[in-house]
Amino acid sequence: MDIRQKSAVDAIVIGAGIAGIYALHKLRNELKLEVRGFEKGAGVGGTWFWNRYPGARSDTESYVYRYSFDPETFEGWPWTQKYASQEQMLAYLNAVVDRHGLRPSIQFDTRVTAATFDEQRGVWSVQTSDGAVVEARYLIASVGVLSKLNAPAIAGIDRFEGRQVHTGAWPHDLSLEGKKVGVIGTGSTGVQFIPAAAAVASRLTVFQRSAQYCVPAGSDQVPAEFIQDYRANFDGYWDRLRQTRIACGFAEAAIPAMSVSAEERHRVFEEHWQAGNGFRFMFGTFCDIAIDPAANEAACDFIRGKIAGIVKDPATAARLSPTQAYAKRPVCADGYYETFNRPNVALVDLKANPIVEATARGVRTADGREHELDVLVYATGFECVEGSYREMAIRGRDGALLVDHWGSRPCSYLGISVHGFPNLFMVLGPNSVFSNLAPAIETQVDWIAHLIDRSEQLGQVVIDTDSAAEQDWTGQCEQMAAYTLFPQVKSWIFGANIDGRPNRVLFFFGGLAAYRERLAEIAANGYAGYAFA
Ligand code: N01
């Protein structure tokens, strides 16, 4: 019988992005369970299915922004660019799905709307948007950290007769060629979109709420010798990567910024600016950019100097220069600041001159000016981490709702398990590791499969995590975050990009190597913090 017709299976996987694909493979092909996947989109790929905006690409180098479990799909893969484009990422993920025979296990265009744990029988009852109910012993939520769209509320937006689009739901049929385009948002997405849109739009107006530290991506060709060496030493590359914090493939710095002379600091910053990549600039220059205020200010000062040197109009350069700490998820793109030298590009500083209303022809700012637009683009990010969980009614023991359990402080054990929600496993749930997400996903899915395998061997028992372990892990994540400069700035990594939301800790900032060590210790200590009953 087709798995998609069954009303009871061993495991349900929500989402078919990078995490869901690997979870399906692991549980179906390795543990030999009956697994059913539900995906809200019409195809696989998650982030890479939805984010089709002009300029979309991975800003983590493609040789480490992929699966390590599947070297074969990489064989003969035509990746010569340092970063994979959205089209290449989507093609890659589709190739993995087909190579491992996963497509027949996935039901597309179907949202999970609710899931309720039946304590008597130890099963999850999962409701979907097509009205079906499917039961499973294990529920894997691989719903993505950046999935639920965030867009500003603009007064009178219904009056606007042009087109509105979010970069995270980019339509197939939209060309910006020759159009008057406005874009709100200058995060990782905005900085990729802005140079690409400026190249084709007749006019591009950038509405900036916060200025951004953006370093070049350095989108070069990858030397053939490197690809050859990578293929020949695939496992070695990945073993080394798993011993690092950020897991982006570059050597992480061990030297504090203020321990060297000002000239040496400048030399190191310049070398990394030329090489490109945001994570490399933040973590490969010096070890304390994200920790020590003086080191951070030195990096800020260097980037502000670059902005002043690149942007010809001093007033525009000043508006593009951030004053706050360099403490958001690092951003990179090629030609970002250069784009503001183009005659068809204008910058509006929303803090000084906010949008007050939409009109039929565009938007009006506080200075009274109407900005005429054919297309208004929201590059305004996501309600991250918790957002997707707010769209499903997940009820654990005693009918408790997951989002109520979290309240204003999302907690978890290891970013994976939640007390009172047995056999529910999140991939990249609150307080997962802050690093390159591809190896973080593999680490968590491997751990989840390990727990499920153990449960099966013990006789299909129920796995719960205890409250003390959950509170302890959450507290450690809060302490670790406080040790860094990241909480000093409002950004999505603390959920504070949403208007009116305070900072809340959503990541473990100890790095991938420490996270993996912690998992190994827990396994060695008889799965401390877990109860198998
Ligand atoms: O979202 P963001 P993103 N009015 O939240 C502004 C990943 N990613 O989609 O800084 C006006 O970072 C907001 O302003 P401010 C990556 O992990 C990866 O760009 O909050 N403006 C900001 O400028 C990344 O970090 C790739 O003041 C508003 C922007 O919109 C994550 O996705 C590529 C606003 C949002 O920036 C999110 O990036 C792209 C409002 N009401 C993204 N609300 C890769 O290459 C928000 N803004 C792998």
Side-chain angles (χ1 to χ4, degrees):
M1 186 184 185
D2 186 335
I3 192 84
R4 288 169 296 188
Q5 310 301 318
K6 290 201 162 186
S7 59
V9 289
D10 295 319
I12 286 175
V13 174
I14 314 173
I18 296 180
I21 292 169
Y22 185 47
L24 275 169
H25 167 70
K26 199 82 190 166
L27 301 188
R28 199 196 87 143
N29 296 345
E30 291 190 15
L31 299 191
K32 308 292 180 203
L33 298 177
E34 276 201 308
V35 192
R36 182 145 169 207
F38 292 107
E39 165 54 53
K40 68 181 177 184
V44 302
T47 286
W48 300 102
F49 175 86
W50 296 102
N51 287 264
R52 300 189 192 96
Y53 58 87
R57 59 180 54 242
S58 161
D59 67 5
T60 303
E61 293 186 38
S62 49
Y63 78 101
V64 291
Y65 192 76
R66 63 177 315 282
Y67 296 116
S68 71
F69 86 89
D70 181 20
E72 288 77 14
T73 312
F74 195 74
E75 280 302 318
W77 198 254
W79 272 354
T80 50
Q81 295 280 322
K82 190 167 163 185
Y83 303 103
S85 66
Q86 177 270 332
E87 294 91 335
Q88 288 172 325
M89 282 307 305
L90 195 57
Y92 167 70
L93 293 171
N94 272 286
V96 171
V97 164
D98 289 331
R99 215 175 84 71
H100 296 280
L102 302 174
R103 205 173 294 274
S105 299
I106 307 168
Q107 182 173 325
F108 293 101
D109 296 308
T110 310
R111 285 174 182 272
V112 167
T113 54
T116 306
F117 186 67
D118 179 333
E119 285 189 59
Q120 299 299 318
R121 295 186 301 131
V123 295
W124 281 95
S125 175
V126 173
Q127 286 174 41
T128 53
S129 50
D130 59 354
V133 176
V134 184
E135 290 189 339
R137 286 180 289 118
Y138 307 106
L139 179 61
I140 291 84
S142 36
V143 290
V145 275
L146 297 155
S147 177
K148 186 176 174 195
L149 308 182
N150 171 49
I154 298 176
I157 194 64
D158 292 344
R159 286 197 288 267
F160 179 52
E161 290 171 0
R163 196 147 173 198
Q164 299 173 60
V165 287
H166 193 290
T167 48
W170 195 265
H172 284 277
D173 64 342
L174 178 60
S175 160
L176 301 180
E177 194 81 41
K179 300 223 165 73
K180 294 189 281 291
V181 178
V183 56
I184 306 175
T186 53
S188 303
T189 302
V191 301
Q192 289 184 337
F193 173 80
I194 287 163
V200 295
S202 62
R203 180 154 189 82
L204 177 70
T205 307
V206 177
F207 297 96
Q208 169 192 276
R209 183 164 76 177
S210 303
Q212 184 65 261
Y213 293 103
C214 179
V215 308
S219 302
D220 321 321
Q221 296 279 312
V222 182
E225 315 82 72
F226 176 81
I227 295 176
Q228 214 174 5
D229 188 59
Y230 176 63
R231 288 202 169 122
N233 299 292
F234 189 87
D235 291 341
Y237 272 92
W238 284 94
D239 287 345
R240 282 193 297 280
L241 178 120
R242 294 187 196 103
Q243 300 307 314
T244 62
R245 285 175 60 197
I246 297 300
C248 285
F250 57 82
E252 292 169 4
I255 299 172
M258 307 317 281
S259 69
V260 302
S261 67
E263 292 72 29
E264 174 60 6
R265 261 197 311 280
H266 192 277
R267 187 196 67 73
V268 173
F269 284 143
E270 183 64 37
E271 183 183 297
H272 284 75
W273 179 271
Q274 295 303 333
N277 190 293
F279 278 101
R280 188 188 285 258
F281 194 86
M282 188 179 267
F283 296 99
T285 48
F286 298 101
C287 64
D288 53 354
I289 300 293
I291 298 168
D292 175 36
N296 191 274
E297 180 52 27
C300 296
D301 199 46
F302 177 87
I303 300 175
R304 285 193 290 253
K306 286 291 183 189
I307 299 169
I310 294 168
V311 180
K312 294 192 177 120
D313 171 39
T316 304
R319 288 202 298 273
L320 286 168
S321 291
T323 49
Q324 59 193 10
Y326 178 36
K328 294 184 178 180
R329 187 261 196 204
V331 162
C332 65
D334 290 322
Y336 175 62
Y337 296 119
E338 288 82 349
T339 299
F340 293 89
N341 291 332
R342 295 179 64 113
N344 66 333
V345 175
L347 177 66
V348 175
D349 177 355
L350 290 180
K351 282 190 178 144
N353 187 22
I355 294 171
V356 288
E357 61 171 351
T359 65
R361 295 186 307 172
V363 294
R364 194 182 312 282
T365 38
D367 60 0
R369 180 164 171 204
E370 185 184 35
H371 302 264
E372 276 190 38
L373 304 171
D374 300 315
V375 186
L376 176 58
V377 176
Y378 302 115
T380 41
F382 305 87
E383 184 186 347
C384 69
V385 185
E386 319 150 72
S388 301
Y389 291 93
R390 294 191 184 282
E391 300 201 306
M392 304 178 286
I394 297 184
R395 291 184 184 277
R397 289 193 201 277
D398 301 324
L401 259 183
L402 180 62
V403 290
D404 288 350
H405 178 78
W406 283 342
S408 58
R409 183 180 180 248
C411 52
S412 76
Y413 186 38
L414 304 168
I416 293 173
S417 306
V418 184
H419 171 64
F421 294 80
N423 286 10
L424 166 68
F425 303 101
M426 303 175 293
V427 189
L428 302 181
N431 295 328
S432 292
V433 62
F434 180 77
S435 71
N436 173 9
L437 293 184
I441 285 169
E442 283 194 331
T443 297
Q444 290 194 325
V445 172
D446 287 346
W447 178 255
I448 292 165
H450 196 62
L451 292 176
I452 291 177
D453 192 30
R454 188 173 154 81
S455 155
E456 293 291 289
Q457 291 188 16
L458 291 172
Q460 302 187 348
V461 297
V462 162
I463 309 165
D464 203 351
T465 187
D466 59 64
S467 178
E470 178 182 77
Q471 290 309 312
D472 184 52
W473 177 255
T474 306
Q476 282 181 43
C477 290
E478 287 165 349
Q479 279 175 12
M480 194 91 65
Y483 177 69
T484 74
L485 299 173
F486 290 117
Q488 292 190 5
V489 178
K490 289 183 92 177
S491 76
W492 72 263
I493 53 176
F494 289 88
N497 58 323
I498 307 293
D499 292 333
R501 280 228 185 128
N503 264 7
R504 62 221 16 231
V505 173
L506 294 171
F507 285 95
F508 167 73
F509 284 96
L512 185 65
Y515 182 78
R516 292 176 65 88
E517 245 172 61
R518 186 64 189 273
L519 295 183
E521 276 166 26
I522 291 168
N525 288 326
Y527 298 88
Y530 281 107
F532 295 78

